Every structure is written in C-alpha cells, then in structure tokens.
Amino acid sequence: MPPTPANQTTQKAQRSWMFWLLIGIILLLGVIMVTAPIYSVWTQPYPDLNFSTFFGSLGLIMMLLLTWPYIEHTASIQTGTESFTARKYGQEPFEHPYTAITGHTVRPNFDRQRSWTELVVYLPDNWFTLRSVDFDNFDELVALFSAVSPAVPYRQVLSPGEQRLARIFLIVALLVGLVPVWFGFAAYQPVDKQPARLVQLSGTLSSIRKTTNRSSSYTGFTLRLAEYPDFTFYARRKEFTDSLRTLPYALNYPPRLTLTIRAYDFRTKIS
C-alpha cells in the first residue's frame, strides 16, 4: 500500500496574485472585445470596424498567450489508498489508479517572477504537473508518487484534452489572422477602367473645418450640410488642382453648396 498524505481531502492549488492579475486582464480584454463593436455600431451611422477588428484580434491573442501556460497546471488533487483524482484548469476531474502511473519526474523550474520545484506524473493517456508553490503538502505528494512509480526523464507531452484545446487555440489564431483579411476584401472596391458615375448633393453648409495630418500640415477641409447632418464630406487638397485654402472666404452667406460625389458612395452610405 502506498504512503498517503495525512490529509486525504482534495488539495486545491493556491491562487497567487499573478493568477488573479491574469484573470483581471483577461476579463478586461473580454469587455473590450465586446464593447468595441457595440460602441462602433451605436455611435456611427456607418461604423468603422477597424477599431473593433484591431482590439478584437489583440484581445484574442492576449487571451491565448495568458491562458495557455495554465492549461498544463493541476488545479486540485485528491489522494486515496488505491487511486488519486486530479483536475487541470478548464477540465473535469478524473480518477486514476496508482497502478496506471508509468513514471514521474521531479525537477526545478522558474519564470520571471519566481522559482519552484515541480512534480510531473505520467499516465498512458494523460499527465499532471504539481508545483511546490501551489500545494502546501508538496513534499508529501512527492513521497507518495515516488513510492508508486519509477523516476523517468522529463518529457513534454499533451493529453487528449490538451490536444483538443491546442486545436481550438490554433483555429482561433487562424481566425484572428483571417478576419482582418476578410474585412479588407469586403471593403475592397475593384478599379473600374470606366470613369466613376457621379451624383450631386445640394444643401446649406452647416460647418467647415480645416484638417491637418500628424505633423500639423494642412490637408484640406471637412464639410457638413444641414440636409445631411449625420455625414461628413472630405475635400482633400491633393485631389484638387486649384488651391482650397481660400474656400472659406469664397463662400456666400447663407452658403449653399453643390457637392459632387461618387454614385457608389451615395448608394452605399447615404441613400
């Protein structure tokens, strides 16, 4: 009969401040991923989804990077006289007889914050990693599994459950990379050799503002018409042969304007 720890109730891994910090970051990223598209849709007549795509992709990538290291850690373990029951983060607990253990490894490990000793228990179709920083009775667990299994060299393996999670992570990572590409193709407008059809919009000018780039250089004007209050029209300097700088001074009051825009933009954004 193998030696068992005096306390045979379930031992749960201790939660360090780093664990709760990661949980907080993941929750924050989740909130950003949900609120970003909602904010874009509710605040813009024709939402710009670049903001949502960027933060959504960033959030998914960060969540994958933050959660993957915890998949291999053991969240709880219960020892008995003939078997033990262990559970990893995000998985259901399973009972395993001691006779099913094929070997164990005890080795030092570390990350940027701390160092610890870890016990790796190998089974034919699974494995468990127990860390000294997670379990108060770590020495007793080492003595228990050393008595029921031989010491073997460390090897990196994935259980069937971890393989499924790895496939899910791979699919999500592919989606993260393909979604921005899909948005790009969806927004792409093929170049037509024929001149674009144009339409004219007439209305009363409600505001005109000068636009600049990041270096504060003049780039043109934004115009808004009282008849189309939800839309902003851009007159960019580089698209006109004549100078636009005198445009505000050339307007009559009350200023009536006729703007010429592409029929495609009128059909998809205004009408």
Side-chain angles (χ1 to χ4, degrees):
M1 181 181 298
T4 58
N7 185 1
Q8 296 185 9
T9 59
T10 301
Q11 302 292 316
K12 294 184 178 180
Q14 299 176 355
R15 304 289 194 266
S16 64
W17 66 270
M18 180 60 66
F19 176 86
W20 294 114
L21 176 62
L22 294 179
I23 292 296
I25 294 176
I26 292 173
L27 291 177
L28 178 61
L29 292 174
V31 171
I32 294 175
M33 292 168 58
V34 172
T35 57
I38 295 177
Y39 174 81
S40 299
V41 171
W42 282 4
T43 59
Q44 303 175 22
Y46 293 90
D48 181 4
L49 296 181
N50 291 331
F51 176 83
S52 303
T53 303
F54 173 77
F55 280 99
S57 301
L58 178 63
L60 285 174
I61 292 173
M62 292 299 297
M63 291 176 68
L64 293 178
L65 292 177
L66 292 174
T67 55
W68 179 256
Y70 279 90
I71 291 178
E72 65 179 19
H73 294 169
T74 302
S76 64
I77 184 169
Q78 182 179 14
T79 57
T81 56
E82 301 294 337
S83 63
F84 72 99
T85 302
R87 180 180 68 85
K88 296 181 181 180
Y89 287 104
Q91 300 185 26
E92 295 294 327
F94 290 97
E95 184 177 3
H96 306 275
Y98 293 121
T99 54
I101 301 175
T102 60
H104 74 276
T105 300
V106 179
R107 65 168 192 157
N109 206 343
F110 65 93
D111 58 19
R112 295 182 179 181
Q113 287 76 36
R114 55 186 174 175
S115 59
W116 63 86
T117 302
E118 67 182 22
L119 167 66
V120 185
V121 180
Y122 300 100
L123 294 116
D125 59 351
N126 209 339
W127 71 317
F128 295 95
T129 299
L130 299 95
R131 305 189 306 173
S132 59
V133 293
D134 295 334
F135 296 93
D136 292 333
N137 64 336
F138 179 77
D139 292 337
E140 297 177 358
L141 293 172
V142 171
L144 167 64
F145 288 103
S146 297
V148 298
S149 63
V152 297
Y154 174 79
R155 62 182 186 271
Q156 185 73 37
V157 294
L158 289 178
S159 67
E162 291 167 344
Q163 293 175 11
R164 288 191 296 270
L165 287 174
R167 286 193 291 268
I168 293 174
F169 277 23
L170 178 60
I171 293 173
V172 172
L174 290 175
L175 291 177
V176 169
L178 292 177
V179 166
V181 176
W182 182 86
F183 273 114
F185 277 106
Y188 172 71
Q189 300 174 11
V191 177
D192 192 348
K193 295 182 179 180
Q194 299 296 327
R197 294 181 56 189
L198 304 176
V199 297
Q200 292 184 334
L201 301 178
S202 297
T204 303
L205 181 67
S206 60
S207 70
I208 179 171
R209 295 182 179 180
K210 184 175 71 173
T211 59
T212 59
N213 56 21
R214 294 182 178 180
S215 60
S216 300
S217 299
Y218 162 76
T219 59
F221 291 96
T222 60
L223 309 170
R224 304 193 71 174
L225 300 180
E227 289 77 5
Y228 303 93
D230 294 331
F231 301 93
T232 300
F233 302 90
Y234 296 89
R236 304 189 187 280
R237 176 179 58 85
K238 63 181 181 179
E239 296 175 358
F240 291 83
T241 56
D242 298 330
S243 175
L244 290 178
R245 289 184 180 273
T246 59
L247 177 61
Y249 309 103
L251 297 173
N252 297 320
Y253 289 88
R256 293 284 299 178
L257 292 181
T258 298
L259 304 179
T260 303
I261 66 173
R262 293 187 305 173
Y264 176 85
D265 291 335
F266 177 81
R267 184 174 65 252
T268 58
K269 300 179 180 180
I270 299 179
S271 63

